[in-house]
Amino acid sequence: MCQFQVLLVIIVCFFRRPHPAFASLSFVPLEAKVPCGDGSPAGIYESGRSERMTSKKHVLLFDDGGYCDTEELCKQKLRNDVFHLSSRPFPETIQGRTILSDDPSENPSMFDFHKWMVPYCSQDMYVGNGNGRIGGLVRAGSLHVLAVLDHIRNSTREIDELVVVGVSAGTMAVLNHIDQIRKLARDRGVKSLKVVLDSSMFFDKYDDINLEA
């Protein structure tokens, strides 16, 4: 039977360009062709694919990056923080740090896990359904989450342990799609599912988030 745990903790997660001493994570555009805010293809970073087929321990991180809900704010984000609205500047590979690291001294608990990292590029708290726009920018964060879960389901055979982490805006990806995450766990025979919510206490924003735009 799957063991399900929710943990509220503070974890600082960063990533950097690859170092030859460590395995890197590679960017994979999603087959579902979900758009980032500017229409470029959303995707996911993952560690070595050969490792994916043999490892039964996986960690999935939904990244952070704020949010915008007016045309002025979104255009400002596009100018000053394009990484969170477009995949065009994404490097092909990154080196994971902290919980995404392969270094046992930096990541003693999960250094040997297969790693997935979802770069946040919609500025909608991962809840947009793709039907609305602000200043010409697409709001399709929820579709991105669903496409990621489908990608992992189609790319794996069996998972014993799954850790799903949401950081700041990424916590909304986890909270609003927990049923789909649990279905993925059931489909892949997960014995232990852990959910980590880092910096999720911003409930005053719920009423302000424009789900239609």
Side-chain angles (χ1 to χ4, degrees):
M1 173 179 274
C2 174
Q3 177 186 0
F4 176 61
Q5 300 178 8
V6 176
L7 309 176
L8 290 173
V9 300
I10 296 180
I11 299 176
V12 180
C13 299
F14 300 99
F15 56 85
R16 60 190 176 195
R17 292 183 183 276
H19 185 284
F22 299 99
S24 59
L25 285 76
S26 300
F27 182 73
V28 180
L30 295 166
E31 292 182 7
K33 302 189 187 319
V34 176
C36 291
D38 70 342
S40 58
I44 185 170
Y45 282 96
E46 67 167 301
S47 51
R49 297 190 185 189
S50 59
E51 171 196 310
R52 176 220 302 158
M53 302 308 295
T54 57
S55 176
K56 292 187 177 182
K57 297 186 292 185
H58 293 243
V59 57
L60 167 63
L61 169 68
F62 288 94
D63 201 15
D64 61 345
Y67 111 102
C68 64
D69 62 347
T70 67
E71 182 173 351
E72 180 181 0
L73 285 176
C74 289
K75 286 184 176 180
Q76 181 179 349
K77 279 273 187 178
L78 191 59
R79 289 193 304 270
N80 302 328
D81 191 18
V82 67
F83 280 90
H84 288 121
L85 277 168
S86 175
S87 65
R88 300 184 198 282
F90 288 175
E92 291 185 6
T93 58
I94 59 173
Q95 180 192 334
R97 296 186 64 186
T98 63
I99 64 169
L100 296 179
S101 173
D102 290 340
D103 182 355
S105 65
E106 183 177 10
N107 184 19
S109 299
M110 293 185 285
F111 72 92
D112 58 345
F113 279 51
H114 184 78
K115 298 167 183 73
W116 310 84
M117 196 280 282
V118 182
Y120 175 45
C121 64
S122 55
Q123 286 296 297
D124 61 356
M125 295 283 193
Y126 291 98
V127 297
N129 59 16
N131 291 333
R133 293 171 180 263
I134 290 182
L137 298 171
V138 184
R139 314 280 277 183
S142 179
L143 301 183
H144 190 182
V145 176
L146 297 176
V148 161
L149 298 179
D150 282 343
H151 176 76
I152 294 175
R153 180 182 291 105
N154 295 333
S155 302
T156 56
R157 295 172 182 169
E158 184 179 356
I159 301 174
D160 283 346
E161 187 172 352
L162 176 61
V163 179
V164 182
V165 182
V167 182
S168 191
T171 64
M172 295 293 283
V174 178
L175 289 170
N176 284 290
H177 301 86
I178 194 63
D179 289 341
Q180 293 88 345
I181 291 170
R182 296 185 74 173
K183 184 178 187 306
L184 169 65
R186 289 194 300 270
D187 290 347
R188 286 295 164 265
V190 171
K191 298 179 176 65
S192 174
L193 171 63
K194 296 182 176 70
V195 170
V196 180
L197 304 177
D198 173 18
S199 307
S200 60
M201 309 304 284
F202 42 81
F203 300 113
D204 60 309
K205 288 291 184 183
Y206 284 176
D207 292 336
D208 298 334
I209 297 174
N210 188 344
L211 303 183
E212 299 300 326

